[in-house]
Amino acid sequence: MKRKFYFTAVMLLGFMGVSNAQAQNQECMTNLSIYVEHVKVKNYDAAYTPWKMVYDNCPDVNWANFLYGERILKDKIEKSSGSEKDAVIQDLLTLYDNSTKYFPKKATPATVAIDKALLKYENKMGSDSEIYEMLHKAFQEDRKNFKNSRALYLYFSSLVDLHKAGKKDLQEVFDVYDDVNDKIEEENNELTAVVTKLLPKDSLKTITTKEKRSLKIATTNSESYGKIAGSIDSKLGSLADCANLIPLYEKSFEEKKSDVTWVKRAVGRMFNKECTDDPMFQKLFDAQMALDPSAEGWVYSGTIKMKNGDTQGALADFDKAMSLQSDGKKRSGIAYKVAVINKRKGSKSTARKYAQMAIDADASNGRAYLLIAALYASSANDCGSTTFEKRAIYWKAAAMAERAGRVDPALKSSANQSAASYRAKAPSKTDIFNSGNAGKTISFSCWVGGSVKVPNL
């Protein structure tokens, strides 16, 4: 009898527990619905109490607890001050930690670390060392999900500040600089692939609403990465000039000469900073060719030959580099480098040839368009018999620069600046009126070739 009573009691308590859990779950669902509606209209004050009930009692019932909870707490942070504000910041930091506990697939290590680092930085709660170590750990462990452009800049910027304070060495600055730029390039390649696919549809007005939205998102995000890339280069500044690079590589060469990644990055950096006259460049180049005689190596070989006056040998090496690379984007990058080399040497026609090859290999290579635009602009005095005709070349340069910003939104800001600068040098409305050339086509008999149509007044 006692056993029967005990069994009945256990069953009753279990039933009551289930009933209480169901009741609580129902209450959570009701409050979830209430606070979601408040958040939708940005009434965060009204959303706080029902959200807090759900978050405290049913944290795993819905991702909205963390997605909308972040918005609610950020609103409270903005409206509070002093110790109250500090307490809410701590609540938000705890929310970020709990997000990965209950929804690990949505809140990855990188996204959580980024959220926490940005929050601490914005509220002056973390030192450069703390913020850098948080982001460095996240980048190393969860690089795939480290996509926030602001966090990428903060990651690098905090390291540079630590280096200037004597707490980090220059080699680490360069290593992280390369890692961050590689990440930016990877993300932007994905975005420009979307732009390249959808831009023709947009021009032909055959794009769907969904595709239009995708194009806008890809364009906006690509622009953000472009701005961050520029800021990162500015932050690096003179740290990467030849005066710093050469002694650093001389010091590290014996230890690092078998590290192919280090060697290739060193060669690439010296090439980009035009430190190729120094014997250290030749030394690094030889090491790269011994470790990895790749297509890019032949570009550097051609660079050295061109510096030594062997133009024919240089062009042969450049062509060999192109023939060895089958990947479109990498082939485009090689062709662009060759174009830059020829531009520096004043070989404008050859520079355009390789820049066009870069575009043919990768239609989203906006830098190649900008290079061609610069080549056109630098030829104003060589094309045309009158002042008007000579200045008309700037319209052609501006059009090419604008194209760069369309195919690669990361370059939109600099492309628009270049285009505006070129248009300012082109004939004015007064010039067009006085010359009587409105609506006419002007052809170029110089190396540029082609023509432009003078704008109608």
Side-chain angles (χ1 to χ4, degrees):
M1 183 69 180
K2 286 184 179 180
R3 291 182 64 185
K4 183 177 181 181
F5 174 78
Y6 177 77
F7 178 75
T8 303
V10 170
M11 289 293 291
L12 180 60
L13 288 172
F15 177 75
M16 290 174 63
V18 172
S19 297
N20 288 337
Q22 289 177 338
Q24 186 181 55
N25 189 62
Q26 183 57 50
E27 187 178 1
C28 283
M29 297 308 294
T30 299
N31 279 281
L32 173 67
S33 179
I34 292 170
Y35 85 68
V36 166
E37 290 305 313
H38 285 311
V39 170
K40 285 181 179 178
V41 294
K42 299 183 179 180
N43 188 357
Y44 300 116
D45 289 335
Y48 179 78
T49 299
W51 165 78
K52 192 74 166 61
M53 179 273 159
V54 184
Y55 175 65
D56 287 345
N57 295 283
C58 312
D60 60 346
V61 72
N62 196 293
W63 172 242
N65 282 338
F66 300 94
L67 180 66
Y68 290 166
E70 179 186 39
R71 300 182 195 179
I72 293 167
L73 291 178
K74 281 189 172 181
D75 181 71
K76 285 183 73 70
I77 290 170
E78 288 183 11
K79 295 175 179 176
S80 58
S81 59
S83 59
E84 180 187 356
K85 181 175 183 177
D86 290 341
V88 181
I89 291 173
Q90 290 301 324
D91 287 342
L92 183 51
L93 289 170
T94 302
L95 179 139
Y96 288 141
D97 287 332
N98 286 336
S99 68
T100 196
K101 175 182 176 182
Y102 293 107
F103 294 91
K105 291 184 179 180
K106 289 183 178 289
T108 70
T111 57
V112 170
I114 286 169
D115 287 336
K116 293 175 69 175
L118 289 175
L119 180 63
K120 288 190 173 189
Y121 174 75
E122 290 162 358
N123 291 281
K124 298 179 173 60
M125 293 180 67
S127 65
D128 284 334
S129 293
E130 181 184 1
I131 288 172
Y132 171 70
E133 293 304 332
M134 285 176 66
L135 295 175
H136 183 64
K137 184 173 185 290
F139 191 89
Q140 297 301 314
E141 296 180 358
D142 190 21
R143 188 179 187 279
K144 176 184 176 183
N145 293 301
F146 204 115
K147 295 175 178 283
N148 187 297
S149 58
R150 286 182 59 224
L152 282 167
Y153 176 75
L154 182 58
Y155 175 33
F156 181 70
S157 174
S158 58
L159 173 59
V160 172
D161 291 341
L162 288 170
H163 167 71
K164 290 179 178 178
K167 297 178 181 179
K168 293 288 183 180
D169 62 36
L170 188 58
Q171 184 59 59
E172 186 169 356
V173 173
F174 288 153
D175 289 342
V176 172
Y177 174 83
D178 288 329
D179 288 339
V180 169
N181 272 287
D182 285 348
K183 180 61 177 174
I184 290 173
E185 184 177 358
E186 288 171 17
E187 296 298 325
N188 196 53
N189 283 345
E190 291 184 12
L191 295 168
T192 53
V194 175
V195 173
T196 300
K197 178 182 177 181
L198 298 180
L199 204 56
K201 287 188 174 184
D202 189 44
S203 299
L204 295 171
K205 309 298 182 186
T206 58
I207 194 168
T208 66
T209 302
K210 183 178 180 181
E211 288 173 334
K212 188 84 171 178
R213 192 182 308 115
S214 296
L215 177 59
K216 183 178 180 180
I217 292 172
T219 299
T220 300
N221 289 341
S222 180
E223 286 179 33
S224 296
Y225 279 118
K227 290 175 183 176
I228 290 300
S231 297
I232 287 172
D233 282 338
S234 296
K235 187 72 178 182
L236 181 65
S238 61
L239 290 178
D241 61 18
C242 299
N244 284 320
L245 292 176
I246 294 167
L248 175 67
Y249 294 148
E250 287 176 339
K251 176 184 176 182
S252 305
F253 181 75
E254 288 303 320
E255 177 189 351
K256 299 277 193 178
K257 63 183 180 182
S258 60
D259 183 341
V260 65
T261 299
W262 182 87
V263 170
K264 290 177 76 172
R265 284 179 168 182
V267 174
R269 188 172 288 112
M270 289 193 74
F271 173 85
N272 291 332
K273 290 297 180 178
E274 299 185 47
C275 309
T276 52
D277 286 332
D278 192 89
M280 193 64 216
F281 178 78
Q282 179 73 54
K283 199 172 182 179
L284 286 163
F285 164 72
D286 290 340
Q288 176 174 334
M289 292 301 280
L291 292 167
D292 180 24
S294 62
E296 198 167 56
W298 288 102
V299 175
Y300 302 132
S301 174
T303 305
I304 293 170
K305 286 181 180 179
M306 185 163 278
K307 279 187 172 294
N308 294 331
D310 183 6
T311 303
Q312 290 300 113
L315 292 176
D317 283 353
F318 295 150
D319 288 336
K320 184 166 185 175
M322 293 290 290
S323 68
L324 289 173
Q325 185 55 259
S326 57
D327 180 273
K329 283 193 175 294
K330 291 180 179 179
R331 183 180 173 84
S332 180
I334 290 171
Y336 174 76
K337 282 186 177 181
V338 177
V340 170
I341 293 166
N342 281 279
K343 178 177 179 289
R344 289 173 183 168
K345 285 294 182 181
S347 304
K348 296 179 182 180
S349 180
T350 304
R352 181 179 61 179
K353 169 191 168 185
Y354 281 98
Q356 186 59 55
M357 288 171 70
I359 294 168
D360 292 341
D362 175 19
S364 67
N365 191 333
R367 294 181 302 165
Y369 281 106
L370 280 178
L371 189 146
I372 293 174
L375 291 170
Y376 288 167
S378 68
S379 301
N381 291 327
D382 305 324
C383 301
S385 56
T386 67
T387 300
F388 188 94
E389 289 176 352
K390 290 178 179 180
R391 291 174 59 195
I393 196 73
Y394 289 112
W395 281 317
K396 196 174 181 71
M400 194 62 71
E402 288 168 348
R403 180 67 178 166
R406 285 197 296 273
V407 301
D408 185 357
L411 297 174
K412 190 170 184 178
S413 179
S414 58
N416 286 346
Q417 288 177 9
S418 295
S421 173
Y422 296 146
R423 290 198 181 282
K425 296 175 182 177
S428 65
K429 288 184 178 180
T430 300
D431 295 328
I432 295 172
F433 176 79
N434 290 335
S435 67
N437 285 323
K440 292 183 179 179
T441 297
I442 294 179
S443 298
F444 302 109
S445 57
C446 60
W447 75 270
V448 172
S451 62
V452 292
K453 185 175 182 180
V454 179
N456 283 305
L457 295 175

